[in-house]
Amino acid sequence: MSEQAVEAELWELLCRYMADECSEQELETLSRRLAVDPVACDAFNAILSQAVAIRDDAEMQRAMAVESSKPFLSHLVRFPFTSGAVSLAMVALFAIAMGWYFSIKSHSFVSLQIVEVHGPSRWSQMDGKKSDSLQIGQRVPFGKLETLSDQSTLTATFAGRSTVSLFPNGAAFFGQSDGKKSESVNFTTSPSSHGFSLSAENSHAIELAFGGLAVDAKFESGSEGLVVKTPAAWLQASRARFEIEADGSDTRVNVFDGQVRLQRRNDGMEILLNGDEQTMASLNNQSRFRVVSTRLPTKAWRCDLSKVLHGSFGVVQKADEARPLRLKAQPYVVPENNTLTFRTSVPIPWKGFETVEATPGMRVRLSGYLKEATDIEVHISGRVQNAGIGCGYFIRFTPVVDPVSGRWENEFLLSGCKRVFSKRLTKEESELPIRINHTNIYTIKIDAGLEVDGLEYIPPPGSSLSLAALLQR
Amino acid sequence: MTEETLVKTLLSSRSRLQSRALIIVRDTHLAEDIFQEVMVRALQQRDCFESAQSLMAWTHTAIRNLSIDYVRRLGRLNGILSNVAVEAVEYRMDRLAQESGPREEAMKACLERLPDESKNLLHLRYDKGKKGHELACMLQRNENAVYKTLSRLHLALKRCIEDRLNHSGVSR
């Protein structure tokens, strides 16, 4: 291959990487090349700086377009009222405009009222204004809601008595739908979080971009109720309590009570889910829906690092003769307190219907490697099932590190951890099961070369494994 | 560090810092969000920065962490370059930083000279976030042809910028 052809291939590959349309093999090739070839790095830097400049240029053109519409308006405003008739006409026009404005306002709902905030979160309005300090009791117009950390949760009421809770690291748009199906929720969203608009008349609508959401929909039976759009599915419910988890290709829905209609977006296949049922809609799957009972939690769980890498945090260290596959801690600034940590994070993969419930007497077993002995802190994040309440378990320990191999192992009781909830629980809520989502293992301020190769949730001796756990073995 | 110095320092490196985020997030709007977020955080703790160097070192780490965090939340962590590759690109980026002023001027001039059709394609890709397959659909061409055109446009822009810099006496 000529030098020119090689160069052309590299530039094409870089363009594909920029669009996230590289195969795994291409990504590996590109990584290897960039790591050793300054010319390739310079080519990539050229594309990066051009991309930023192109976006700035587009922004500038938009600004100029707005500016160019100003002279007409400003001329109109400056024009002196030469006669009483013109003044009267202007007053009438103003009155009509105000009437129209308020009629639109009264129809176009949507305000959410914040009832719980825990951890950093953000509200972005249609015009791009952002608010990072949401207060309990605050009313917010429609727009985008984000929870910005592993511990953030946010609960809001809407349409009277309905509530919605956004789980950690999630993003959702709130608005109204026009009541039709398919592309009915007339969300016009830009490709990023930067700008968006919503329009609609009838039902309330939520677009969950990613993350988890708990909904308690309390609409009149038979009404359009609530429509939730995710990348993989449409959901509709008027009276139901349910949870949704979504990423770019899959959506898992757990219905606790009531009925939820689900339509898969890639082929339009529909299913009606009842209480205690869960299913998954996937853009990569066109087979019939698999419906699983929500009453069969997985009480024991052992992490298989090769299967949970999706959604994990840390750099994968391939297995070698001395050590198995493991996750290496990476720097991470905790948004709540700006503390620098070196962290790995292992999710309980929701795509396999795995639901690990925290039970009394449950133990957690951890293992890995450390380059220097230091304290390790563990934060287990979960949520009170179907109550939209975040829960965190914290524990810090000093591991015994093998001086030669650097290996450490530790086991602790979940009940021995400090437990924090995003709100004070009522008696009823305190009896609900707690579902574990993520396990974060980290050192604070010190990069001690932490690596994790094992994580296990072990039920107390004598407790039988659930059917779901047995089936998964 | 005063608020004014901090803002000036960060704004003067805005393009480069957004490019840094772009290595990982690959979305120009997200890169800007990250830049703004880092700026707010830097302002909140401006007393910790004794010099522009310490501010930039902190900013680089914060941008990297936030970018990874965003990508992780989008479930795209497996689609990013290796750590070593990212560091290599950042290293070269910092080496080119000294001439960023004239380079940005040259970039503007070269963008202005682009034919409308080419400019529209680049706007669709980097401002509207349309991917190769979407552009292929819109333009009724195949995806490979779209990427070929995009890569040629980037290369042409790079050459145009270099010509201008050489002409004005700034070396590559």
Side-chain angles (χ1 to χ4, degrees):
Chain A
M1 206 187 276
S2 72
E3 202 173 305
Q4 265 185 338
V6 173
E7 193 187 18
E9 202 174 73
L10 169 73
W11 282 75
E12 261 182 70
L13 194 53
L14 288 166
C15 288
R16 281 182 191 277
Y17 173 71
M18 285 296 283
D20 204 7
E21 287 188 329
C22 259
S23 68
E24 254 178 58
Q25 198 184 350
E26 285 173 331
L27 188 64
E28 252 190 70
T29 310
L30 189 60
S31 286
R32 273 204 302 271
R33 172 99 190 254
L34 288 169
V36 295
D37 183 359
V39 177
C41 290
D42 289 351
F44 190 26
N45 275 319
I47 291 177
L48 293 166
S49 56
Q50 287 172 21
V52 173
I54 289 158
R55 199 229 152 212
D56 286 350
D57 185 62
E59 196 80 40
M60 182 73 81
Q61 281 189 12
R62 276 193 288 273
M64 280 165 69
V66 171
E67 200 60 30
S68 66
S69 68
K70 271 187 180 169
F72 169 72
L73 292 171
S74 51
H75 175 74
L76 197 70
V77 171
R78 280 203 305 270
F79 194 81
F81 293 160
T82 50
S83 74
V86 174
S87 306
L88 208 63
M90 291 302 283
V91 170
L93 207 63
F94 179 71
I96 292 166
M98 290 306 283
W100 172 78
Y101 173 72
F102 284 112
S103 72
I104 292 284
K105 288 278 272 186
S106 62
H107 271 98
S108 66
F109 136 82
V110 161
S111 76
L112 293 166
Q113 184 163 24
I114 307 296
V115 290
E116 293 294 340
V117 194
H118 186 76
S121 53
R122 176 182 295 152
W123 182 258
S124 307
Q125 295 181 34
M126 280 173 62
D127 56 8
K129 283 182 191 157
K130 292 178 179 178
S131 165
D132 285 343
S133 53
L134 290 168
Q135 306 292 325
I136 292 173
Q138 187 179 345
R139 279 192 177 277
V140 287
F142 64 71
K144 185 172 122 181
L145 198 60
E146 289 169 278
T147 43
L148 300 173
S149 81
D150 287 341
Q151 295 170 52
S152 302
T153 53
L154 213 147
T155 303
T157 57
F158 63 100
R161 295 178 304 139
S162 297
T163 60
V164 60
S165 300
L166 186 62
F167 296 135
N169 292 319
F173 299 87
F174 291 79
Q176 280 183 296
S177 88
D178 57 10
K180 294 176 219 148
K181 270 185 104 188
S182 121
E183 290 308 309
S184 63
V185 182
N186 197 5
F187 291 96
T188 318
T189 58
S190 83
S192 80
S193 57
H194 214 64
F196 50 86
S197 62
L198 302 162
S199 67
E201 292 295 323
N202 300 330
S203 57
H204 297 78
I206 301 171
E207 179 177 352
L208 178 65
F210 53 82
L213 201 65
V215 180
D216 186 356
K218 289 177 179 163
F219 291 87
E220 291 299 317
S221 298
S223 72
E224 277 282 328
L226 174 76
V227 177
V228 184
K229 176 185 169 189
T230 70
W234 290 97
L235 296 120
Q236 194 177 36
S238 48
R239 291 189 83 82
R241 290 192 302 154
F242 58 103
E243 276 184 9
I244 310 163
E245 269 159 311
D247 65 9
S249 59
D250 298 287
T251 296
R252 172 174 163 179
V253 186
N254 287 17
V255 181
F256 300 103
D257 54 53
Q259 281 192 326
V260 176
R261 184 200 299 272
L262 181 150
Q263 186 185 62
R264 199 157 57 198
R265 291 182 67 181
N266 58 346
D267 58 3
M269 187 180 274
E270 273 194 24
I271 189 169
L272 194 63
L273 290 168
N274 294 302
D276 296 329
E277 285 181 351
Q278 58 175 322
T279 195
M280 184 92 68
S282 171
L283 292 179
N284 306 317
N285 188 354
Q286 296 209 339
S287 58
R288 291 182 61 188
F289 289 104
R290 180 182 160 213
V291 178
V292 176
S293 169
T294 55
R295 289 186 174 175
L296 296 171
T298 314
K299 285 179 179 160
W301 184 76
R302 179 184 291 170
C303 148
D304 177 351
L305 273 180
S306 65
K307 287 185 184 161
V308 299
L309 294 177
H310 183 86
S312 64
F313 184 83
V315 174
V316 180
Q317 306 292 298
K318 287 183 181 163
D320 52 35
E321 284 172 6
R323 296 178 179 189
L325 182 74
R326 58 215 186 272
L327 270 181
K328 186 180 178 189
Q330 289 295 290
Y332 175 83
V333 178
V334 182
E336 278 84 352
N337 49 22
N338 280 329
T339 304
L340 175 65
T341 60
F342 294 86
R343 189 175 86 141
T344 63
S345 180
V346 180
I348 310 275
W350 52 268
K351 295 192 181 188
F353 293 109
E354 283 157 310
T355 307
V356 179
E357 249 179 39
T359 49
M362 178 177 257
R363 286 169 300 133
V364 184
R365 190 177 291 157
L366 277 166
S367 60
Y369 297 88
L370 270 173
K371 277 186 185 155
E372 61 177 279
T374 186
D375 282 1
I376 291 176
E377 189 164 288
V378 181
H379 162 219
I380 297 163
S381 74
R383 56 178 176 252
V384 180
Q385 192 130 310
N386 190 32
I389 300 166
C391 170
Y393 294 85
F394 291 87
I395 193 165
R396 192 181 294 191
F397 58 84
T398 308
V400 180
V401 183
D402 183 291
V404 181
S405 65
R407 177 133 190 100
W408 61 269
E409 284 180 5
N410 198 286
E411 193 174 309
F412 55 86
L413 272 169
L414 202 55
S415 56
C417 300
K418 183 184 167 194
R419 206 165 60 157
V420 180
F421 290 99
S422 60
K423 63 165 273 215
R424 187 186 285 268
L425 303 187
T426 61
K427 190 171 177 293
E428 191 193 26
E429 287 165 346
S430 65
E431 285 163 8
L432 291 169
I434 294 171
R435 179 175 155 191
I436 294 166
N437 298 110
H438 263 87
T439 311
N440 306 309
I441 306 134
Y442 47 89
T443 55
I444 299 171
K445 291 181 184 167
I446 299 164
D447 184 5
L450 171 68
E451 292 179 351
V452 173
D453 68 356
L455 166 63
E456 205 174 340
Y457 284 91
I458 308 159
S463 75
S464 59
L465 286 176
S466 70
L467 180 61
L470 287 169
L471 287 173
Q472 279 158 13
R473 290 197 150 200
Chain B
M1 181 175 276
T2 65
E3 195 173 310
E4 195 188 344
T5 317
L6 185 144
V7 171
K8 268 187 188 167
T9 309
L10 291 184
L11 282 182
S12 65
S13 308
R14 186 186 68 92
S15 299
R16 189 161 54 89
L17 293 172
Q18 284 187 21
S19 295
R20 254 183 133 91
L22 210 52
I23 299 173
I24 293 166
V25 298
R26 293 162 292 156
D27 175 323
T28 52
H29 294 269
L30 264 183
E32 180 164 326
D33 281 357
I34 289 169
F35 171 72
Q36 286 180 5
E37 202 167 328
V38 166
M39 195 139 151
V40 170
R41 288 188 191 183
L43 279 168
Q44 283 167 349
Q45 44 185 298
R46 66 173 189 272
D47 296 337
C48 306
F49 308 119
E50 287 168 1
S51 62
Q53 283 86 346
S54 67
L55 168 67
M56 290 312 282
W58 177 89
T59 305
H60 289 166
T61 311
I63 282 185
R64 169 87 78 97
N65 287 342
L66 270 177
S67 303
I68 289 174
D69 212 28
Y70 267 92
V71 172
R72 187 168 58 86
R73 275 193 263 157
L74 291 169
R76 287 172 16 201
L77 203 57
N78 290 341
I80 61 172
L81 292 168
S82 71
N83 238 2
V84 186
V86 172
E87 277 166 14
V89 176
E90 286 174 346
Y91 174 74
R92 292 295 297 178
M93 188 185 282
D94 292 341
R95 286 197 62 177
L96 287 170
Q98 288 165 347
E99 53 181 84
S100 64
R103 190 169 280 275
E104 279 167 26
E105 288 305 310
M107 177 99 72
K108 272 183 201 158
C110 291
L111 272 175
E112 269 172 28
R113 280 179 46 188
L114 274 182
D116 282 350
E117 204 177 301
S118 308
K119 210 167 170 178
N120 281 342
L121 179 67
L122 291 170
H123 278 188
L124 282 171
R125 173 65 202 93
Y126 295 109
D127 181 48
K128 301 288 178 200
K130 300 284 176 205
K131 297 193 173 196
H133 68 275
E134 292 170 299
L135 291 171
C137 217
M138 288 167 81
L139 304 172
Q140 296 183 329
R141 292 159 74 181
N142 73 44
E143 205 178 312
N144 284 342
V146 168
Y147 280 117
K148 268 199 173 57
T149 312
L150 278 172
S151 60
R152 279 180 195 152
L153 282 173
H154 279 301
L155 199 53
L157 272 173
K158 182 178 181 253
R159 284 179 185 147
C160 169
I161 293 161
E162 277 162 8
D163 282 350
R164 282 189 164 262
L165 290 176
N166 288 336
H167 195 67
S168 62
V170 180
S171 69
R172 204 161 78 87

